[in-house]
Amino acid sequence: MNKLSSFLSKTEILNAAEQTLRKYGPDKASVTDVAKLLGVSHGTLYRHFPSKAALREAVTERWLEEMIVAPLTEIAAIPTTNALGQLRDYIAKLVELKQHHASQDSEMFKMYAAVTEESAALVEVHIRKLLDHIDLLIAQGMEQGLISRSIPAAVQARSVLYGTARFHHPAHAYEWRSPGIMQEFAQLWTLLERGLSEH
Amino acid sequence: MNKLSSFLSKTEILNAAEQTLRKYGPDKASVTDVAKLLGVSHGTLYRHFPSKAALREAVTERWLEEMIVAPLTEIAAIPTTNALGQLRDYIAKLVELKQHHASQDSEMFKMYAAVTEESAALVEVHIRKLLDHIDLLIAQGMEQGLISRSIPAAVQARSVLYGTARFHHPAHAYEWRSPGIMQEFAQLWTLLERGLSEH
DNA sequence: CAAATGACAATAATAATTATTTGTCATTTG
DNA sequence: CAAATGACAAATAATTATTATTGTCATTTG
């Protein structure tokens, strides 16, 4: 169904799996459902992914990369003379993206939250990417004389990410419905920015 | 059973409920179990608490007060010439207490975490107590010229509590087993302290 | 007569049964 | 012969039947 080539590609499977996940949610979607959508036997899918867990992880990995990491990479890559302001934009975007998908793409967000509890490896890789971005921005901020060198950039990067966890970690998603949430983030950021600043 | 007076008191019920909770865990413990332990009919308990939920909340409320709030109130009340240092001790104690009970009093901690998701009112009251303590310490720090007045104390208090959520919010309990957790807290604190400081 | 009881209906949890899904692999297909 | 199939066993999940718990209240007890 909708096949562009006669042989199944990983991308086609991921597309179908994501569509199935969106339709039935991560608790109900089965490998059989995905196979049905593709018009193939479910056994076929096991020639491409060793297990259902692996398929779920692959879908989540791609979703995270496309929906969260890619837009952030873009922000981190913009040349700037104000790395500290860029860091604020970066974290604000991270918060905005997570909260947006939690409400507007809820089934995939649930999938992401579930995989987060199942696969420490996937989380670790994701966190590492964010930390690398933040680390880079902080190092630039140091070069620009905006951010204090009294603490290593990598250490400050972790503190910034963990310190803002309430606003982007999926375990806090139910708190994001509160109307004051973005103001609270802005206020915390003011404090963190003071802590990061050279002065 | 173990009754000091012939009539049941709320305290006796709470003691029995807590004992039952510790024995069976919050998922298995029933009102009937509590009644059995007290040697009374379960209907009697409904003359003291309107529902099982209310009983669970009352037990949790008392536990929170005794195990978490009371020790913190003590720290907040110590007279000091270094309110910023005291604030560090306060938050460190909050983190230590939560993490200690998560591992050493796990059934009651589970009960607390469950009630946290059921009763927004209880959480709100608990948070308010902590915020009042932190607010007080920050206001003192301002008077002592240690903490910046550029942001209202109440706002900074909320930022401090939410900024350290990863280290005391029950949703993050599974991350507390990581060996680096206290170092990460110390590093975040260094950053927050820089942000709070007058300079 | 305040406090507690225990019989009762409604609701929820558990256990037993049935149906689906997951994962394997010898066989088929193009 | 690489790719896919589909029959099969094992593991999960959904359904149903059964048992336990929750919550009420008219009645009993001290």
Side-chain angles (χ1 to χ4, degrees):
Chain A
M1 195 169 287
N2 278 338
K3 272 185 279 188
L4 297 172
S5 84
S6 53
F7 296 138
L8 259 187
S9 71
K10 282 216 146 80
T11 302
E12 285 174 288
I13 296 175
L14 292 180
N15 289 346
E18 192 168 324
Q19 201 179 322
T20 305
L21 246 7
R22 285 223 169 77
K23 188 166 169 196
Y24 300 116
D27 296 342
K28 295 280 188 176
S30 73
V31 174
T32 307
D33 292 330
V34 178
K36 241 181 263 167
L37 179 64
L38 287 164
V40 301
S41 132
H42 78 274
T44 299
L45 300 184
Y46 283 89
R47 295 182 48 75
H48 296 267
F49 295 93
S51 65
K52 183 186 186 179
L55 176 57
R56 284 160 60 97
E57 278 179 39
V59 173
T60 304
E61 206 173 353
R62 189 181 71 164
W63 180 86
L64 262 181
E65 185 59 37
E66 280 181 9
M67 299 302 189
I68 310 290
V69 175
L72 292 172
T73 304
E74 218 170 282
I75 292 182
I78 299 169
T80 179
T81 53
N82 178 9
L84 187 51
Q86 193 131 324
L87 178 57
R88 189 221 317 109
D89 294 348
Y90 181 95
I91 301 291
K93 188 71 177 180
L94 170 60
V95 167
E96 186 214 305
L97 285 170
K98 290 283 183 81
Q99 297 190 8
H100 173 263
H101 286 100
S103 69
Q104 302 303 308
D105 192 7
S106 62
E107 296 301 356
M108 281 305 291
F109 190 85
K110 265 183 229 161
M111 176 79 260
Y112 154 61
V115 167
T116 263
E117 306 207 323
E118 288 159 18
S119 167
L122 185 138
V123 171
E124 207 181 300
V125 168
H126 177 59
I127 294 290
R128 181 100 308 280
K129 286 176 189 167
L130 303 184
L131 286 177
D132 285 348
H133 288 153
I134 299 170
D135 190 358
L136 183 77
L137 288 170
I138 290 177
Q140 282 177 250
M142 286 175 171
E143 277 163 29
Q144 293 165 357
L146 297 170
I147 293 180
S148 164
R149 297 184 124 99
S150 66
I151 304 165
V155 171
Q156 299 200 65
R158 225 173 33 182
S159 296
V160 164
L161 188 64
Y162 288 161
T164 54
R166 181 175 131 93
F167 304 97
H168 53 71
H169 192 294
H172 290 275
Y174 74 97
E175 298 169 58
W176 299 344
R177 273 170 284 180
S178 153
I181 193 74
M182 285 315 287
Q183 200 198 352
E184 286 165 18
F185 169 69
Q187 290 168 341
L188 170 58
W189 185 259
T190 303
L191 187 60
L192 286 174
E193 193 163 286
R194 269 182 66 92
L196 290 166
S197 292
E198 187 55 86
H199 44 238
Chain B
M1 198 168 287
N2 276 339
K3 274 185 280 188
L4 295 173
S5 83
S6 54
F7 296 138
L8 259 187
S9 72
K10 283 215 147 85
T11 304
E12 284 174 288
I13 297 175
L14 292 180
N15 290 345
E18 193 168 322
Q19 200 180 322
T20 305
L21 247 5
R22 286 224 168 77
K23 187 168 170 195
Y24 300 117
D27 296 342
K28 294 281 187 175
S30 72
V31 175
T32 308
D33 292 330
V34 178
K36 241 181 265 168
L37 180 62
L38 287 164
V40 301
S41 133
H42 79 273
T44 299
L45 300 184
Y46 283 89
R47 296 181 48 75
H48 296 267
F49 294 93
S51 66
K52 183 185 189 179
L55 176 56
R56 284 159 59 97
E57 278 178 39
V59 173
T60 305
E61 207 174 351
R62 189 181 72 164
W63 180 86
L64 262 181
E65 184 59 37
E66 280 180 9
M67 300 302 190
I68 311 290
V69 176
L72 291 173
T73 304
E74 218 170 282
I75 293 182
I78 299 170
T80 178
T81 53
N82 178 8
L84 187 52
Q86 194 130 325
L87 178 57
R88 190 223 313 110
D89 293 347
Y90 181 95
I91 301 291
K93 187 71 175 180
L94 170 60
V95 168
E96 187 215 304
L97 284 169
K98 290 283 182 82
Q99 296 189 7
H100 173 263
H101 286 99
S103 69
Q104 301 303 307
D105 192 7
S106 62
E107 295 302 354
M108 281 305 292
F109 189 85
K110 265 183 227 159
M111 176 78 262
Y112 155 61
V115 166
T116 264
E117 306 207 321
E118 287 158 18
S119 168
L122 185 138
V123 172
E124 208 181 298
V125 168
H126 177 60
I127 295 289
R128 180 102 306 280
K129 286 176 191 167
L130 303 185
L131 286 178
D132 286 348
H133 288 155
I134 299 170
D135 189 357
L136 182 78
L137 288 171
I138 290 178
Q140 283 179 251
M142 285 174 171
E143 278 164 28
Q144 294 165 358
L146 297 170
I147 293 179
S148 163
R149 295 184 125 99
S150 67
I151 304 166
V155 172
Q156 298 200 65
R158 227 175 30 185
S159 295
V160 164
L161 188 64
Y162 289 162
T164 53
R166 181 175 131 92
F167 303 97
H168 52 71
H169 192 296
H172 290 275
Y174 75 97
E175 297 170 57
W176 299 343
R177 272 170 282 179
S178 152
I181 193 75
M182 284 315 287
Q183 199 198 354
E184 287 165 17
F185 169 69
Q187 290 167 341
L188 170 59
W189 186 259
T190 303
L191 187 61
L192 287 173
E193 193 163 286
R194 269 181 67 93
L196 290 165
S197 293
E198 187 56 86
H199 44 236

